[in-house]
Amino acid sequence: MRQCYFCTNNISNIDYKKTEVLKRFIDYHARISPKKETGLCAKHQRKLATAIKRARIMALLPFVIS
């Protein structure tokens, strides 16, 4: 089983402005990857989803890649 990326690196706050980190967890259609695929714990998967959605609203990440 994969370890949570944020737990192993002691990252408690997932910042929506760090798009390089967030891009690791979206697929080629810009969809948020599921927990089974990312290997994150439930707490960090929820925080990640919120950060990605905030980054989309601020136009830092795309909603769709066509």
mmCIF file with all atom_site columns, all heavy atoms in Angstrom, residues 26-47:
data_model
loop_
_atom_site.group_PDB
_atom_site.id
_atom_site.type_symbol
_atom_site.label_atom_id
_atom_site.label_alt_id
_atom_site.label_comp_id
_atom_site.label_asym_id
_atom_site.label_entity_id
_atom_site.label_seq_id
_atom_site.pdbx_PDB_ins_code
_atom_site.Cartn_x
_atom_site.Cartn_y
_atom_site.Cartn_z
_atom_site.occupancy
_atom_site.B_iso_or_equiv
_atom_site.pdbx_formal_charge
_atom_site.auth_seq_id
_atom_site.auth_comp_id
_atom_site.auth_asym_id
_atom_site.auth_atom_id
_atom_site.pdbx_PDB_model_num
ATOM 1   N N   . ILE A 1 26 ? -3.872  15.263 -10.632 1.00 0.00 ? 26 ILE A N   1
ATOM 2   C CA  . ILE A 1 26 ? -4.946  15.335 -11.623 1.00 0.00 ? 26 ILE A CA  1
ATOM 3   C C   . ILE A 1 26 ? -4.511  14.538 -12.851 1.00 0.00 ? 26 ILE A C   1
ATOM 4   O O   . ILE A 1 26 ? -3.326  14.450 -13.151 1.00 0.00 ? 26 ILE A O   1
ATOM 5   C CB  . ILE A 1 26 ? -5.328  16.782 -11.999 1.00 0.00 ? 26 ILE A CB  1
ATOM 6   C CG1 . ILE A 1 26 ? -4.158  17.559 -12.562 1.00 0.00 ? 26 ILE A CG1 1
ATOM 7   C CG2 . ILE A 1 26 ? -5.925  17.511 -10.810 1.00 0.00 ? 26 ILE A CG2 1
ATOM 8   C CD1 . ILE A 1 26 ? -4.521  18.944 -13.060 1.00 0.00 ? 26 ILE A CD1 1
ATOM 9   N N   . ASP A 1 27 ? -5.482  13.942 -13.553 1.00 0.00 ? 27 ASP A N   1
ATOM 10  C CA  . ASP A 1 27 ? -5.146  13.121 -14.718 1.00 0.00 ? 27 ASP A CA  1
ATOM 11  C C   . ASP A 1 27 ? -5.089  13.982 -15.977 1.00 0.00 ? 27 ASP A C   1
ATOM 12  O O   . ASP A 1 27 ? -5.187  15.203 -15.916 1.00 0.00 ? 27 ASP A O   1
ATOM 13  C CB  . ASP A 1 27 ? -6.119  11.950 -14.858 1.00 0.00 ? 27 ASP A CB  1
ATOM 14  C CG  . ASP A 1 27 ? -7.545  12.377 -15.147 1.00 0.00 ? 27 ASP A CG  1
ATOM 15  O OD1 . ASP A 1 27 ? -7.793  13.586 -15.302 1.00 0.00 ? 27 ASP A OD1 1
ATOM 16  O OD2 . ASP A 1 27 ? -8.416  11.496 -15.218 1.00 0.00 ? 27 ASP A OD2 1
ATOM 17  N N   . TYR A 1 28 ? -4.946  13.339 -17.118 1.00 0.00 ? 28 TYR A N   1
ATOM 18  C CA  . TYR A 1 28 ? -4.740  14.069 -18.369 1.00 0.00 ? 28 TYR A CA  1
ATOM 19  C C   . TYR A 1 28 ? -5.994  14.785 -18.865 1.00 0.00 ? 28 TYR A C   1
ATOM 20  O O   . TYR A 1 28 ? -5.919  15.567 -19.803 1.00 0.00 ? 28 TYR A O   1
ATOM 21  C CB  . TYR A 1 28 ? -4.178  13.137 -19.451 1.00 0.00 ? 28 TYR A CB  1
ATOM 22  C CG  . TYR A 1 28 ? -5.054  11.957 -19.776 1.00 0.00 ? 28 TYR A CG  1
ATOM 23  C CD1 . TYR A 1 28 ? -5.969  12.026 -20.820 1.00 0.00 ? 28 TYR A CD1 1
ATOM 24  C CD2 . TYR A 1 28 ? -4.952  10.776 -19.061 1.00 0.00 ? 28 TYR A CD2 1
ATOM 25  C CE1 . TYR A 1 28 ? -6.773  10.956 -21.128 1.00 0.00 ? 28 TYR A CE1 1
ATOM 26  C CE2 . TYR A 1 28 ? -5.746  9.699  -19.356 1.00 0.00 ? 28 TYR A CE2 1
ATOM 27  C CZ  . TYR A 1 28 ? -6.659  9.783  -20.390 1.00 0.00 ? 28 TYR A CZ  1
ATOM 28  O OH  . TYR A 1 28 ? -7.449  8.714  -20.689 1.00 0.00 ? 28 TYR A OH  1
ATOM 29  N N   . HIS A 1 29 ? -7.152  14.532 -18.257 1.00 0.00 ? 29 HIS A N   1
ATOM 30  C CA  . HIS A 1 29 ? -8.368  15.280 -18.569 1.00 0.00 ? 29 HIS A CA  1
ATOM 31  C C   . HIS A 1 29 ? -8.630  16.363 -17.523 1.00 0.00 ? 29 HIS A C   1
ATOM 32  O O   . HIS A 1 29 ? -9.691  16.979 -17.531 1.00 0.00 ? 29 HIS A O   1
ATOM 33  C CB  . HIS A 1 29 ? -9.580  14.362 -18.630 1.00 0.00 ? 29 HIS A CB  1
ATOM 34  C CG  . HIS A 1 29 ? -9.585  13.450 -19.810 1.00 0.00 ? 29 HIS A CG  1
ATOM 35  N ND1 . HIS A 1 29 ? -9.583  13.907 -21.106 1.00 0.00 ? 29 HIS A ND1 1
ATOM 36  C CD2 . HIS A 1 29 ? -9.571  12.094 -19.885 1.00 0.00 ? 29 HIS A CD2 1
ATOM 37  C CE1 . HIS A 1 29 ? -9.584  12.877 -21.931 1.00 0.00 ? 29 HIS A CE1 1
ATOM 38  N NE2 . HIS A 1 29 ? -9.560  11.765 -21.207 1.00 0.00 ? 29 HIS A NE2 1
ATOM 39  N N   . ALA A 1 30 ? -7.689  16.576 -16.605 1.00 0.00 ? 30 ALA A N   1
ATOM 40  C CA  . ALA A 1 30 ? -7.769  17.545 -15.506 1.00 0.00 ? 30 ALA A CA  1
ATOM 41  C C   . ALA A 1 30 ? -8.802  17.152 -14.462 1.00 0.00 ? 30 ALA A C   1
ATOM 42  O O   . ALA A 1 30 ? -9.325  18.004 -13.752 1.00 0.00 ? 30 ALA A O   1
ATOM 43  C CB  . ALA A 1 30 ? -8.027  18.957 -16.025 1.00 0.00 ? 30 ALA A CB  1
ATOM 44  N N   . ARG A 1 31 ? -9.079  15.852 -14.340 1.00 0.00 ? 31 ARG A N   1
ATOM 45  C CA  . ARG A 1 31 ? -9.979  15.384 -13.290 1.00 0.00 ? 31 ARG A CA  1
ATOM 46  C C   . ARG A 1 31 ? -9.154  15.039 -12.051 1.00 0.00 ? 31 ARG A C   1
ATOM 47  O O   . ARG A 1 31 ? -8.005  14.609 -12.166 1.00 0.00 ? 31 ARG A O   1
ATOM 48  C CB  . ARG A 1 31 ? -10.735 14.136 -13.743 1.00 0.00 ? 31 ARG A CB  1
ATOM 49  C CG  . ARG A 1 31 ? -11.714 14.413 -14.860 1.00 0.00 ? 31 ARG A CG  1
ATOM 50  C CD  . ARG A 1 31 ? -12.427 13.163 -15.256 1.00 0.00 ? 31 ARG A CD  1
ATOM 51  N NE  . ARG A 1 31 ? -11.465 12.179 -15.746 1.00 0.00 ? 31 ARG A NE  1
ATOM 52  C CZ  . ARG A 1 31 ? -11.774 11.166 -16.543 1.00 0.00 ? 31 ARG A CZ  1
ATOM 53  N NH1 . ARG A 1 31 ? -13.003 10.990 -16.945 1.00 0.00 ? 31 ARG A NH1 1
ATOM 54  N NH2 . ARG A 1 31 ? -10.841 10.320 -16.949 1.00 0.00 ? 31 ARG A NH2 1
ATOM 55  N N   . ILE A 1 32 ? -9.743  15.183 -10.894 1.00 0.00 ? 32 ILE A N   1
ATOM 56  C CA  . ILE A 1 32 ? -9.069  14.835 -9.642  1.00 0.00 ? 32 ILE A CA  1
ATOM 57  C C   . ILE A 1 32 ? -8.986  13.312 -9.556  1.00 0.00 ? 32 ILE A C   1
ATOM 58  O O   . ILE A 1 32 ? -9.998  12.620 -9.688  1.00 0.00 ? 32 ILE A O   1
ATOM 59  C CB  . ILE A 1 32 ? -9.831  15.408 -8.435  1.00 0.00 ? 32 ILE A CB  1
ATOM 60  C CG1 . ILE A 1 32 ? -9.936  16.923 -8.535  1.00 0.00 ? 32 ILE A CG1 1
ATOM 61  C CG2 . ILE A 1 32 ? -9.146  15.009 -7.134  1.00 0.00 ? 32 ILE A CG2 1
ATOM 62  C CD1 . ILE A 1 32 ? -10.856 17.554 -7.503  1.00 0.00 ? 32 ILE A CD1 1
ATOM 63  N N   . SER A 1 33 ? -7.783  12.808 -9.359  1.00 0.00 ? 33 SER A N   1
ATOM 64  C CA  . SER A 1 33 ? -7.593  11.362 -9.277  1.00 0.00 ? 33 SER A CA  1
ATOM 65  C C   . SER A 1 33 ? -8.197  10.822 -7.989  1.00 0.00 ? 33 SER A C   1
ATOM 66  O O   . SER A 1 33 ? -8.152  11.481 -6.950  1.00 0.00 ? 33 SER A O   1
ATOM 67  C CB  . SER A 1 33 ? -6.104  11.019 -9.316  1.00 0.00 ? 33 SER A CB  1
ATOM 68  O OG  . SER A 1 33 ? -5.541  11.447 -10.531 1.00 0.00 ? 33 SER A OG  1
ATOM 69  N N   . PRO A 1 34 ? -8.763  9.602  -8.028  1.00 0.00 ? 34 PRO A N   1
ATOM 70  C CA  . PRO A 1 34 ? -9.378  9.033  -6.828  1.00 0.00 ? 34 PRO A CA  1
ATOM 71  C C   . PRO A 1 34 ? -8.335  8.634  -5.783  1.00 0.00 ? 34 PRO A C   1
ATOM 72  O O   . PRO A 1 34 ? -7.153  8.477  -6.086  1.00 0.00 ? 34 PRO A O   1
ATOM 73  C CB  . PRO A 1 34 ? -10.124 7.808  -7.354  1.00 0.00 ? 34 PRO A CB  1
ATOM 74  C CG  . PRO A 1 34 ? -9.470  7.470  -8.629  1.00 0.00 ? 34 PRO A CG  1
ATOM 75  C CD  . PRO A 1 34 ? -8.938  8.751  -9.198  1.00 0.00 ? 34 PRO A CD  1
ATOM 76  N N   . LYS A 1 35 ? -8.805  8.445  -4.576  1.00 0.00 ? 35 LYS A N   1
ATOM 77  C CA  . LYS A 1 35 ? -7.945  8.121  -3.436  1.00 0.00 ? 35 LYS A CA  1
ATOM 78  C C   . LYS A 1 35 ? -7.167  6.829  -3.657  1.00 0.00 ? 35 LYS A C   1
ATOM 79  O O   . LYS A 1 35 ? -5.997  6.719  -3.299  1.00 0.00 ? 35 LYS A O   1
ATOM 80  C CB  . LYS A 1 35 ? -8.818  8.010  -2.189  1.00 0.00 ? 35 LYS A CB  1
ATOM 81  C CG  . LYS A 1 35 ? -8.095  7.733  -0.920  1.00 0.00 ? 35 LYS A CG  1
ATOM 82  C CD  . LYS A 1 35 ? -9.082  7.647  0.216   1.00 0.00 ? 35 LYS A CD  1
ATOM 83  C CE  . LYS A 1 35 ? -8.437  6.886  1.335   1.00 0.00 ? 35 LYS A CE  1
ATOM 84  N NZ  . LYS A 1 35 ? -9.364  6.233  2.213   1.00 0.00 ? 35 LYS A NZ  1
ATOM 85  N N   . LYS A 1 36 ? -7.794  5.858  -4.286  1.00 0.00 ? 36 LYS A N   1
ATOM 86  C CA  . LYS A 1 36 ? -7.136  4.579  -4.564  1.00 0.00 ? 36 LYS A CA  1
ATOM 87  C C   . LYS A 1 36 ? -5.937  4.775  -5.501  1.00 0.00 ? 36 LYS A C   1
ATOM 88  O O   . LYS A 1 36 ? -4.922  4.110  -5.373  1.00 0.00 ? 36 LYS A O   1
ATOM 89  C CB  . LYS A 1 36 ? -8.139  3.622  -5.202  1.00 0.00 ? 36 LYS A CB  1
ATOM 90  C CG  . LYS A 1 36 ? -7.621  2.221  -5.404  1.00 0.00 ? 36 LYS A CG  1
ATOM 91  C CD  . LYS A 1 36 ? -8.652  1.357  -6.081  1.00 0.00 ? 36 LYS A CD  1
ATOM 92  C CE  . LYS A 1 36 ? -9.565  0.739  -5.052  1.00 0.00 ? 36 LYS A CE  1
ATOM 93  N NZ  . LYS A 1 36 ? -10.470 -0.259 -5.636  1.00 0.00 ? 36 LYS A NZ  1
ATOM 94  N N   . GLU A 1 37 ? -6.051  5.710  -6.416  1.00 0.00 ? 37 GLU A N   1
ATOM 95  C CA  . GLU A 1 37 ? -4.985  5.967  -7.379  1.00 0.00 ? 37 GLU A CA  1
ATOM 96  C C   . GLU A 1 37 ? -3.871  6.844  -6.792  1.00 0.00 ? 37 GLU A C   1
ATOM 97  O O   . GLU A 1 37 ? -2.700  6.629  -7.063  1.00 0.00 ? 37 GLU A O   1
ATOM 98  C CB  . GLU A 1 37 ? -5.592  6.657  -8.597  1.00 0.00 ? 37 GLU A CB  1
ATOM 99  C CG  . GLU A 1 37 ? -4.802  6.544  -9.862  1.00 0.00 ? 37 GLU A CG  1
ATOM 100 C CD  . GLU A 1 37 ? -5.583  7.103  -11.027 1.00 0.00 ? 37 GLU A CD  1
ATOM 101 O OE1 . GLU A 1 37 ? -6.577  6.480  -11.420 1.00 0.00 ? 37 GLU A OE1 1
ATOM 102 O OE2 . GLU A 1 37 ? -5.200  8.174  -11.513 1.00 0.00 ? 37 GLU A OE2 1
ATOM 103 N N   . THR A 1 38 ? -4.247  7.844  -5.997  1.00 0.00 ? 38 THR A N   1
ATOM 104 C CA  . THR A 1 38 ? -3.253  8.776  -5.455  1.00 0.00 ? 38 THR A CA  1
ATOM 105 C C   . THR A 1 38 ? -2.507  8.198  -4.266  1.00 0.00 ? 38 THR A C   1
ATOM 106 O O   . THR A 1 38 ? -1.366  8.564  -4.020  1.00 0.00 ? 38 THR A O   1
ATOM 107 C CB  . THR A 1 38 ? -3.912  10.098 -5.018  1.00 0.00 ? 38 THR A CB  1
ATOM 108 O OG1 . THR A 1 38 ? -4.881  9.829  -4.006  1.00 0.00 ? 38 THR A OG1 1
ATOM 109 C CG2 . THR A 1 38 ? -4.550  10.813 -6.173  1.00 0.00 ? 38 THR A CG2 1
ATOM 110 N N   . GLY A 1 39 ? -3.162  7.327  -3.497  1.00 0.00 ? 39 GLY A N   1
ATOM 111 C CA  . GLY A 1 39 ? -2.529  6.748  -2.323  1.00 0.00 ? 39 GLY A CA  1
ATOM 112 C C   . GLY A 1 39 ? -2.556  7.668  -1.120  1.00 0.00 ? 39 GLY A C   1
ATOM 113 O O   . GLY A 1 39 ? -1.833  7.456  -0.151  1.00 0.00 ? 39 GLY A O   1
ATOM 114 N N   . LEU A 1 40 ? -3.394  8.698  -1.154  1.00 0.00 ? 40 LEU A N   1
ATOM 115 C CA  . LEU A 1 40 ? -3.483  9.638  -0.038  1.00 0.00 ? 40 LEU A CA  1
ATOM 116 C C   . LEU A 1 40 ? -4.415  9.104  1.034   1.00 0.00 ? 40 LEU A C   1
ATOM 117 O O   . LEU A 1 40 ? -5.288  8.280  0.762   1.00 0.00 ? 40 LEU A O   1
ATOM 118 C CB  . LEU A 1 40 ? -4.005  10.993 -0.523  1.00 0.00 ? 40 LEU A CB  1
ATOM 119 C CG  . LEU A 1 40 ? -3.156  11.747 -1.529  1.00 0.00 ? 40 LEU A CG  1
ATOM 120 C CD1 . LEU A 1 40 ? -3.845  13.040 -1.926  1.00 0.00 ? 40 LEU A CD1 1
ATOM 121 C CD2 . LEU A 1 40 ? -1.787  12.038 -0.982  1.00 0.00 ? 40 LEU A CD2 1
ATOM 122 N N   . CYS A 1 41 ? -4.236  9.603  2.261   1.00 0.00 ? 41 CYS A N   1
ATOM 123 C CA  . CYS A 1 41 ? -5.176  9.275  3.320   1.00 0.00 ? 41 CYS A CA  1
ATOM 124 C C   . CYS A 1 41 ? -6.449  10.105 3.101   1.00 0.00 ? 41 CYS A C   1
ATOM 125 O O   . CYS A 1 41 ? -6.455  11.051 2.315   1.00 0.00 ? 41 CYS A O   1
ATOM 126 C CB  . CYS A 1 41 ? -4.567  9.548  4.689   1.00 0.00 ? 41 CYS A CB  1
ATOM 127 S SG  . CYS A 1 41 ? -4.127  11.259 5.005   1.00 0.00 ? 41 CYS A SG  1
ATOM 128 N N   . ALA A 1 42 ? -7.520  9.765  3.777   1.00 0.00 ? 42 ALA A N   1
ATOM 129 C CA  . ALA A 1 42 ? -8.813  10.403 3.553   1.00 0.00 ? 42 ALA A CA  1
ATOM 130 C C   . ALA A 1 42 ? -8.772  11.902 3.874   1.00 0.00 ? 42 ALA A C   1
ATOM 131 O O   . ALA A 1 42 ? -9.334  12.719 3.142   1.00 0.00 ? 42 ALA A O   1
ATOM 132 C CB  . ALA A 1 42 ? -9.886  9.718  4.390   1.00 0.00 ? 42 ALA A CB  1
ATOM 133 N N   . LYS A 1 43 ? -8.078  12.253 4.951   1.00 0.00 ? 43 LYS A N   1
ATOM 134 C CA  . LYS A 1 43 ? -8.003  13.662 5.356   1.00 0.00 ? 43 LYS A CA  1
ATOM 135 C C   . LYS A 1 43 ? -7.319  14.497 4.286   1.00 0.00 ? 43 LYS A C   1
ATOM 136 O O   . LYS A 1 43 ? -7.827  15.563 3.900   1.00 0.00 ? 43 LYS A O   1
ATOM 137 C CB  . LYS A 1 43 ? -7.238  13.771 6.673   1.00 0.00 ? 43 LYS A CB  1
ATOM 138 C CG  . LYS A 1 43 ? -7.060  15.190 7.165   1.00 0.00 ? 43 LYS A CG  1
ATOM 139 C CD  . LYS A 1 43 ? -6.370  15.209 8.511   1.00 0.00 ? 43 LYS A CD  1
ATOM 140 C CE  . LYS A 1 43 ? -4.875  15.241 8.332   1.00 0.00 ? 43 LYS A CE  1
ATOM 141 N NZ  . LYS A 1 43 ? -4.152  15.458 9.585   1.00 0.00 ? 43 LYS A NZ  1
ATOM 142 N N   . HIS A 1 44 ? -6.198  14.024 3.774   1.00 0.00 ? 44 HIS A N   1
ATOM 143 C CA  . HIS A 1 44 ? -5.464  14.790 2.780   1.00 0.00 ? 44 HIS A CA  1
ATOM 144 C C   . HIS A 1 44 ? -6.131  14.737 1.406   1.00 0.00 ? 44 HIS A C   1
ATOM 145 O O   . HIS A 1 44 ? -5.990  15.678 0.626   1.00 0.00 ? 44 HIS A O   1
ATOM 146 C CB  . HIS A 1 44 ? -4.010  14.319 2.708   1.00 0.00 ? 44 HIS A CB  1
ATOM 147 C CG  . HIS A 1 44 ? -3.210  14.788 3.876   1.00 0.00 ? 44 HIS A CG  1
ATOM 148 N ND1 . HIS A 1 44 ? -2.611  13.927 4.749   1.00 0.00 ? 44 HIS A ND1 1
ATOM 149 C CD2 . HIS A 1 44 ? -2.938  16.037 4.321   1.00 0.00 ? 44 HIS A CD2 1
ATOM 150 C CE1 . HIS A 1 44 ? -1.987  14.622 5.690   1.00 0.00 ? 44 HIS A CE1 1
ATOM 151 N NE2 . HIS A 1 44 ? -2.175  15.907 5.448   1.00 0.00 ? 44 HIS A NE2 1
ATOM 152 N N   . GLN A 1 45 ? -6.866  13.672 1.096   1.00 0.00 ? 45 GLN A N   1
ATOM 153 C CA  . GLN A 1 45 ? -7.600  13.623 -0.169  1.00 0.00 ? 45 GLN A CA  1
ATOM 154 C C   . GLN A 1 45 ? -8.681  14.700 -0.190  1.00 0.00 ? 45 GLN A C   1
ATOM 155 O O   . GLN A 1 45 ? -8.881  15.368 -1.201  1.00 0.00 ? 45 GLN A O   1
ATOM 156 C CB  . GLN A 1 45 ? -8.219  12.236 -0.378  1.00 0.00 ? 45 GLN A CB  1
ATOM 157 C CG  . GLN A 1 45 ? -8.990  12.073 -1.672  1.00 0.00 ? 45 GLN A CG  1
ATOM 158 C CD  . GLN A 1 45 ? -8.122  12.005 -2.900  1.00 0.00 ? 45 GLN A CD  1
ATOM 159 O OE1 . GLN A 1 45 ? -6.948  11.660 -2.821  1.00 0.00 ? 45 GLN A OE1 1
ATOM 160 N NE2 . GLN A 1 45 ? -8.683  12.318 -4.048  1.00 0.00 ? 45 GLN A NE2 1
ATOM 161 N N   . ARG A 1 46 ? -9.357  14.899 0.935   1.00 0.00 ? 46 ARG A N   1
ATOM 162 C CA  . ARG A 1 46 ? -10.380 15.951 1.023   1.00 0.00 ? 46 ARG A CA  1
ATOM 163 C C   . ARG A 1 46 ? -9.757  17.330 0.903   1.00 0.00 ? 46 ARG A C   1
ATOM 164 O O   . ARG A 1 46 ? -10.263 18.196 0.182   1.00 0.00 ? 46 ARG A O   1
ATOM 165 C CB  . ARG A 1 46 ? -11.155 15.839 2.335   1.00 0.00 ? 46 ARG A CB  1
ATOM 166 C CG  . ARG A 1 46 ? -12.126 14.689 2.391   1.00 0.00 ? 46 ARG A CG  1
ATOM 167 C CD  . ARG A 1 46 ? -13.054 14.800 3.584   1.00 0.00 ? 46 ARG A CD  1
ATOM 168 N NE  . ARG A 1 46 ? -12.344 14.865 4.850   1.00 0.00 ? 46 ARG A NE  1
ATOM 169 C CZ  . ARG A 1 46 ? -12.022 13.801 5.591   1.00 0.00 ? 46 ARG A CZ  1
ATOM 170 N NH1 . ARG A 1 46 ? -12.339 12.589 5.171   1.00 0.00 ? 46 ARG A NH1 1
ATOM 171 N NH2 . ARG A 1 46 ? -11.395 13.939 6.728   1.00 0.00 ? 46 ARG A NH2 1
ATOM 172 N N   . LYS A 1 47 ? -8.634  17.553 1.612   1.00 0.00 ? 47 LYS A N   1
ATOM 173 C CA  . LYS A 1 47 ? -7.953  18.847 1.527   1.00 0.00 ? 47 LYS A CA  1
ATOM 174 C C   . LYS A 1 47 ? -7.420  19.101 0.122   1.00 0.00 ? 47 LYS A C   1
ATOM 175 O O   . LYS A 1 47 ? -7.451  20.232 -0.364  1.00 0.00 ? 47 LYS A O   1
ATOM 176 C CB  . LYS A 1 47 ? -6.810  18.917 2.538   1.00 0.00 ? 47 LYS A CB  1
ATOM 177 C CG  . LYS A 1 47 ? -7.285  19.066 3.966   1.00 0.00 ? 47 LYS A CG  1
ATOM 178 C CD  . LYS A 1 47 ? -6.106  19.247 4.892   1.00 0.00 ? 47 LYS A CD  1
ATOM 179 C CE  . LYS A 1 47 ? -6.555  19.496 6.308   1.00 0.00 ? 47 LYS A CE  1
ATOM 180 N NZ  . LYS A 1 47 ? -5.422  19.788 7.196   1.00 0.00 ? 47 LYS A NZ  1
#
